[in-house]
Amino acid sequence: MKKPLEKWVEQQAELTKPDRIHWCDGSEEEARKIVEWGINKEKINGTPVFQKLNQETYPNCFYHRSHPTDVARTEHLTFVCHTNKNAVGPNNNWMDPAEAKAKLTKLSDGCMKGKTMYVLPYMMGHPDSPYSKACVQLTDISYVAISMRIMTRLGKHVLEKIGDTENFVKGLHSVGDFDTDKRFVMHFPQENLVWSIGSGYGGNALLGKKCVALRIASALGQKEGWLAEHMIIIGIEDPKGNITYVAAAFPSACGKTNLALMQPTLPGYKVWVLGDDIAWLNIGPDGRLWAINPEMGFFGVAPGTSLKTNPNMIKTLKAGRFFPTLFTNTALDTDKQEPWWEGMDGDIPRNLLDWQGNKWTGKPGEKAAHPNSRFTVSITQSPTLSKEFNNPKGVPISAIIFGGKRTRTMPLVYESFNWQHGVFVGATLASETTAAATHQIGVLRRDPMAMLPFCGYNMADYFKHWLNMGNKMTNPPKIFYVNWFRTDETGKFLWPGYGNNIRVIKWIIDRAAGKEKGAVKAPIGYLPSENGLDMAGLNLDEKTRKHLFDINPEEWAHELDDIERFLLKFGDKVPQELWNELQELEKRL
Ligand code: OXD
Ligand code: MN
C-alpha cells in the first residue's frame, strides 16, 4: 500500500509531467549537486540559475538573477480559496476552491515537462517542538529547492515524522514559464494546501515562508488557539546578564532584519537573535506567551545592509559555514565576482553589472541592485544567534512591539494601557509602503499587526482571535509601539536609529519588568517621561527631543478618521472592543 504522501506526489507528477523526480534528503552533498545543476543545466531567461561568487571573500556564496518580471510578492495574484467567502474577508483575494483548482490544473498540466521535480520534506519549527508542523513542497527549480534548504529544517527525517499519516502541509510549486498572466499563489486552508505557479520569488515560491508559516498557519492558529505572526524574536541581555525576550512586528522592509541583528550602542547590552520575520506564539502551561521561529534562515533585503547599518548581517553573510548562501538580483562586481548593492560600504566598483545583467552606467536615479534584491542565508551563521534558538519550547515573550514607517504623527515609542488597547494599537498599525511588494511606494497603508498581506482568514475574526488570546493568558506580554522614522520639516530623520534603538528597547524591557518610573500617562498610552529614555551622548537638541514625542492634535484627528475608514472596511464583523478603544482614544485626545 502506498503512503498518502507517495500517492500525493504521484498524482502531482501525473499532472505536471516532470522528466524525473528527485526526493531531497537535505544533505550538504546533495545541495552541492543541485547547485551544480543550477550552474550547468538550468537557465532562467538565458542566464544560469546560479553563478559562483568569489569563494575567498564570499565562501559558499552563489548569485542568482530572477526573471525580470519576478522580483517581489504579487499580492494581486495571491488568493485564499475557501468554500465560505466571508471566512476569507476583504483582506484577501478570494476564489472558490473548485474554480481555483480548475484554473490551476489547466495551467499546471505538463508544466514540469523537461524538468526535475524536487520533493522537499521540511519542518517549520524544531522537529521536537509541540508547536512545529511537517510540510512537503514540490518544485521544479533548483533555486527554490536550495533556498528551502536554507530557510527551513529540510531533510529525510521529516519523511519519518510524516510516516503513513496525512498530517503534513502540502505545497505544489512550479515556475511555469514566468508568464505574469499565468502567475498565481493560491491557498486552500481547508485542506492545508498551497499551490503556486509562475513565480520563483521568495514570498511566492518558498512556500514554507509567507504561504505556510503565515497564511495557512494563521488559519490553523485560529482553529487551534495560537498565533502565527509577522514578527522578529530577540532576546535582550542587560549588563547583569538577564535576558528578556521580545517579539516585534513591522511591515515588510521597515528594518526588521536590522533590529533582529542589532549591535546595541549602550554598554553592557547584547541582542540575541531567534528570528527576523516570523513567530509562532503559543500559550504555555505557565499562562505566558511562548514564541518559536518556524524558519531556519534569513531572506533579507540587501540594499542598505552595511557595516554601519547591520555589521552582524555582513558577518553572517560571509561566514561560509552552511552551504550555501544566495544573493538574488543584487548587482555584480565582475572584477571581484562579488555581489554589490546600494548602501554597501566602500566605493562603487568600476565594473558592475546591474541586477538584469546589463553593464551599469550609473545613470542618476537608476539602481544597480534591485531595491528588493535579497540574500538567503542560514540563521546558524549569525554571530548573535540565541542559545535558545533550537529550544523546542521556544522562549517566553515579555513584550510585543508594533512599528511602522511613519514620517509624522507617531512618537518614537509608547506603551499601550492593557492587552485590549494593545490589540487596537496593533490592529491600526500603518506604514508608508516599500518595495517588498509590487505596489506604489511611499503611500500610507494600514497594515494590522503587519499581517495584512499574510493573514489567511478574515482580519476581523483575526482581531477577535487576538482579543481571545489575551483573555486566555494569565501573564500576557505588554504591548508597545515604536517609530524610528519620524522626520523634521526638512525630511531629515529625527532619531539616529540602528544600534541606538537599544535605548528604546531598554525602556520597553524595563517597563515590561514592571518599572514604574520613567513613564507618563498620555492620551495615546504611556510615553517616556522627560528623562525616562536614555539619550545620553546623542546630542539631540531640545526641539528634536520634543518633536520625537509630540502628539499633534491635527495629525491625530486625521489619524482617527483614517482608522475609522479602515475598520469600516471589515463591516459588522469588527469586534466591538476595537470600536470602544477608538472612541476612548478620541475622548482622551
Ligand atoms: C518578506 C516580506 O520578504 O515581508 O519578509 O515581504
Ligand atoms: Mn516579512
Side-chain angles (χ1 to χ4, degrees):
M1 260 274 283
K2 283 222 168 81
K3 295 175 179 173
L5 170 59
E6 291 165 352
K7 242 200 283 186
W8 177 70
V9 172
E10 203 175 276
Q11 281 163 0
Q12 307 321 304
E14 266 165 34
L15 171 65
T16 57
K17 304 178 182 63
D19 278 16
R20 58 202 93 71
I21 300 178
H22 178 87
W23 288 70
C24 287
D25 63 19
S27 66
E28 178 173 329
E29 193 192 345
E30 176 187 72
R32 287 185 184 274
K33 234 174 13 202
I34 295 176
V35 168
E36 269 317 305
W37 297 340
I39 291 173
N40 296 316
K41 295 210 179 101
E42 290 179 353
K43 285 198 164 94
I44 294 178
N45 217 21
T47 308
V49 169
F50 293 120
Q51 298 178 47
K52 204 176 204 160
L53 288 167
N54 185 329
Q55 295 296 298
E56 263 160 47
T57 50
Y58 283 86
N60 281 339
C61 291
F62 294 82
Y63 180 72
H64 170 77
R65 205 173 276 144
S66 79
H67 191 277
T69 66
D70 189 29
V71 294
R73 284 184 292 102
T74 42
E75 288 176 12
H76 62 294
L77 304 174
T78 300
F79 288 77
V80 177
C81 309
H82 196 289
T83 45
N84 172 10
K85 185 175 181 187
N86 204 23
V88 153
N91 46 300
N92 284 300
N93 299 313
W94 174 83
M95 204 182 285
D96 175 72
E99 187 192 336
K101 281 198 178 161
K103 197 182 209 34
L104 288 170
T105 301
K106 215 159 136 199
L107 292 175
S108 303
D109 190 1
C111 67
M112 295 192 188
K113 260 188 204 154
K115 302 195 216 175
T116 299
M117 173 191 271
Y118 300 92
V119 182
L120 313 171
Y122 66 98
M123 289 302 292
M124 294 314 284
H126 192 281
D128 298 336
S129 173
Y131 310 130
S132 64
K133 301 281 176 202
C135 315
V136 179
Q137 172 169 350
L138 311 178
T139 187
D140 57 1
I141 190 152
S142 54
Y143 173 72
V144 168
I146 287 300
S147 300
M148 286 293 284
R149 176 171 195 268
I150 304 169
M151 294 304 297
T152 72
R153 290 167 170 92
L154 187 151
K156 56 174 182 253
H157 60 98
V158 184
L159 296 177
E160 283 148 36
K161 189 132 196 137
I162 294 170
D164 49 15
T165 73
E166 293 198 50
N167 202 359
F168 60 98
V169 182
K170 304 179 181 96
L172 173 57
H173 170 256
S174 166
V175 292
D177 48 14
F178 293 101
D179 183 343
T180 45
D181 291 331
K182 298 188 219 153
R183 183 175 293 167
F184 291 100
V185 186
M186 305 266 203
H187 304 73
F188 301 83
Q190 289 163 299
E191 37 189 311
N192 290 338
L193 166 71
V194 183
W195 194 338
S196 164
I197 186 159
S199 166
Y201 174 75
N204 298 332
L206 313 182
L207 301 185
K209 195 175 190 49
K210 305 300 187 183
C211 301
V212 170
L214 288 176
R215 297 195 193 92
I216 295 291
S218 61
L220 280 171
Q222 187 205 20
K223 270 183 261 170
E224 298 171 359
W226 54 284
L227 291 164
E229 294 298 324
H230 194 201
M231 290 178 176
I232 69 166
I233 312 168
I234 50 177
I236 299 102
E237 183 172 337
D238 70 14
K240 289 195 192 121
N242 300 316
I243 301 181
T244 308
Y245 295 96
V246 165
F250 297 81
S252 303
C254 276
K256 275 214 323 285
T257 304
N258 287 344
L259 183 62
L261 282 118
M262 190 203 330
Q263 189 152 297
T265 56
L266 285 183
Y269 280 84
K270 291 192 189 111
V271 173
W272 300 106
V273 65
L274 292 106
D276 82 322
D277 197 40
I278 297 175
W280 285 358
L281 306 172
N282 281 268
I283 301 175
D286 57 356
R288 301 185 71 183
L289 198 59
W290 289 72
I292 63 161
N293 171 13
E295 298 190 285
M296 269 303 280
F298 302 130
F299 178 63
V301 177
T305 308
S306 69
L307 285 171
K308 178 173 166 280
T309 61
N310 197 340
N312 288 325
M313 185 55 87
I314 299 291
K315 282 185 203 148
T316 306
L317 293 173
K318 293 186 170 198
R321 284 192 304 277
F322 185 93
F323 185 88
T325 293
L326 305 180
F327 293 87
T328 301
N329 290 343
T330 63
L332 188 64
D333 175 343
T334 49
D335 290 334
K336 294 191 186 150
Q337 211 51 26
E338 289 180 356
W340 188 86
W341 51 79
E342 278 75 15
M344 197 184 241
D345 310 279
D347 298 331
I348 301 177
R350 225 168 321 161
N351 289 308
L352 202 57
L353 295 182
D354 71 12
W355 66 275
Q356 299 197 66
N358 301 316
K359 191 157 173 48
W360 170 242
T361 54
K363 274 199 209 108
E366 276 177 29
K367 306 265 191 235
H370 189 278
N372 194 35
S373 55
R374 300 272 178 153
F375 46 74
T376 318
V377 62
S378 172
I379 195 171
T380 59
Q381 296 203 149
S382 169
T384 54
L385 185 66
S386 164
K387 64 181 189 332
E388 297 297 331
F389 174 72
N390 272 319
N391 187 336
K393 282 198 301 201
V395 292
I397 296 297
S398 299
I400 288 175
I401 303 174
F402 293 114
K405 196 173 261 178
R406 299 294 301 265
T407 50
R408 312 145 63 120
T409 318
M410 290 302 181
L412 178 62
V413 60
Y414 70 97
E415 178 189 336
S416 64
F417 294 121
N418 50 46
W419 181 267
Q420 180 175 305
H421 178 224
V423 173
F424 173 81
V425 170
T428 57
L429 187 64
S431 192
E432 287 159 33
T433 52
T434 66
T438 40
H439 45 49
Q440 237 184 322
I441 295 177
V443 177
L444 187 73
R445 156 162 120 149
R446 294 266 151 217
D447 189 351
M449 281 81 173
M451 278 288 280
L452 187 67
F454 309 121
C455 181
Y457 61 104
N458 192 319
M459 205 129 208
D461 294 331
Y462 169 76
F463 298 150
K464 189 73 200 160
H465 182 44
W466 261 83
L467 293 166
N468 290 343
M469 287 288 288
N471 294 334
K472 282 196 237 163
M473 277 180 277
T474 48
N475 198 355
K478 290 196 172 173
I479 300 180
F480 297 81
Y481 181 92
V482 301
N483 175 29
W484 320 129
F485 301 98
R486 201 163 185 174
T487 55
D488 66 12
E489 308 74 43
T490 67
K492 199 176 136 250
F493 290 118
L494 296 169
W495 180 247
Y498 302 112
N500 281 309
N501 291 338
I502 189 67
R503 298 165 185 270
V504 175
I505 304 286
K506 174 180 184 303
W507 184 80
I508 287 173
I509 61 175
D510 286 348
R511 290 289 297 169
K515 190 174 164 200
E516 294 282 335
K517 273 208 266 176
V520 288
K521 200 166 178 178
I524 63 167
Y526 294 105
L527 291 175
S529 58
E530 177 93 29
N531 293 311
L533 197 101
D534 183 351
M535 298 218 200
L538 285 184
N539 293 324
L540 299 183
D541 59 31
E542 176 78 15
K543 188 168 154 231
T544 302
R545 272 184 289 160
K546 275 233 163 72
H547 194 168
L548 276 169
F549 295 103
D550 186 33
I551 309 292
N552 179 307
E554 242 168 76
E555 288 176 355
W556 274 90
H558 189 264
E559 183 76 12
L560 294 182
D561 283 349
D562 198 60
I563 289 173
E564 184 179 358
R565 261 198 308 276
F566 177 71
L567 289 180
L568 282 171
K569 288 189 188 159
F570 296 94
D572 52 14
K573 267 191 166 235
V574 175
Q576 186 54 41
E577 291 92 329
L578 295 189
W579 289 120
N580 297 349
E581 287 295 335
L582 180 62
Q583 239 173 31
E584 292 299 314
L585 175 60
E586 198 164 3
K587 270 195 246 162
R588 291 194 303 267
L589 282 161

